[in-house]
Amino acid sequence: IEELADAVRGNAPDFPLQQRTDELGVLARAFAAHTGELRAVLERERFFTGDVSHELRTPVALIKGYASTLRRNDAKWDKHTINESLAVIEEEADRLSKMIDDLLDVTRIAAGKMAMTPAHEDMGRIVRAAIETVASVHDVTRLLEVAQEKSRAA
């Protein structure tokens, strides 16, 4: 039992005693099965956390990029550019809010407090939204370039 307990505590890849046919073998196989399931859950959680972190970074980067670009003292922006930039900031804040709502829904589903309802999605709309996000990242880069050009010219 001590050998099995040490393997469990040490997070060993394999547990001893699994070949035994007595109660210790049954216990070792049960530990091995449950530990494997737990490792798989933890791996999915790590993947999910990394994916969520990446997804949250994009709107935050856009909001920060547009806001800091607009605040530059060395560049004068026309009203159209300011309004477009503020619209991107607002859209990305809405996107963040939607992601947070989705995360809360995932938590509710996992807790059994909410059921998932399958639905058809317009893949064209999803692809267009992804393209618009990438275009926004390109736009903020271009705004920074324009600001640098204006500051050099001044």
Side-chain angles (χ1 to χ4, degrees):
I1 289 181
E2 288 293 325
E3 187 180 355
L4 182 57
D6 288 343
V8 171
R9 274 193 297 272
N11 200 18
D14 258 342
F15 293 118
L17 312 176
Q18 291 186 59
Q19 297 80 13
R20 291 181 60 152
T21 58
D22 60 3
E23 293 85 6
L24 287 177
V26 171
L27 184 61
R29 288 187 295 280
F31 273 130
H34 289 295
T35 301
E37 291 169 12
L38 182 57
R39 285 182 181 135
V41 167
L42 290 174
E43 183 59 29
R44 284 191 305 270
E45 185 177 299
R46 274 193 293 275
F47 177 77
F48 178 76
T49 303
D51 194 39
V52 167
S53 298
H54 177 74
E55 288 299 317
L56 292 173
R57 279 191 188 117
T58 301
V60 168
L62 284 167
I63 290 169
K64 184 161 177 54
Y66 273 92
S68 63
T69 299
L70 289 173
R71 291 186 61 198
R72 289 182 64 127
N73 293 328
D74 60 343
K76 300 295 179 210
W77 304 110
D78 59 77
K79 191 158 185 75
H80 176 74
T81 301
I82 291 170
N83 285 334
E84 279 187 346
S85 298
L86 291 173
V88 170
I89 290 170
E90 187 174 17
E91 289 166 9
E92 293 304 315
D94 289 344
R95 191 167 147 224
L96 274 174
S97 181
K98 171 79 170 99
M99 279 191 242
I100 291 167
D101 289 344
D102 290 348
L103 285 171
L104 291 172
D105 286 347
V106 167
T107 303
R108 288 183 193 109
I109 290 167
K113 296 179 181 176
M114 182 178 172
M116 278 189 3
T117 307
H120 293 283
E121 289 293 331
D122 178 1
M123 290 307 291
R125 182 190 58 77
I126 293 169
V127 169
R128 283 189 298 278
I131 290 169
E132 287 171 8
T133 299
V134 171
S136 292
V137 172
H138 181 278
D139 289 347
V140 77
T141 303
R142 182 64 191 133
L143 276 174
L144 289 170
E145 290 169 355
V146 169
Q148 288 171 346
E149 290 169 9
K150 285 185 176 185
S151 67
R152 277 189 235 130

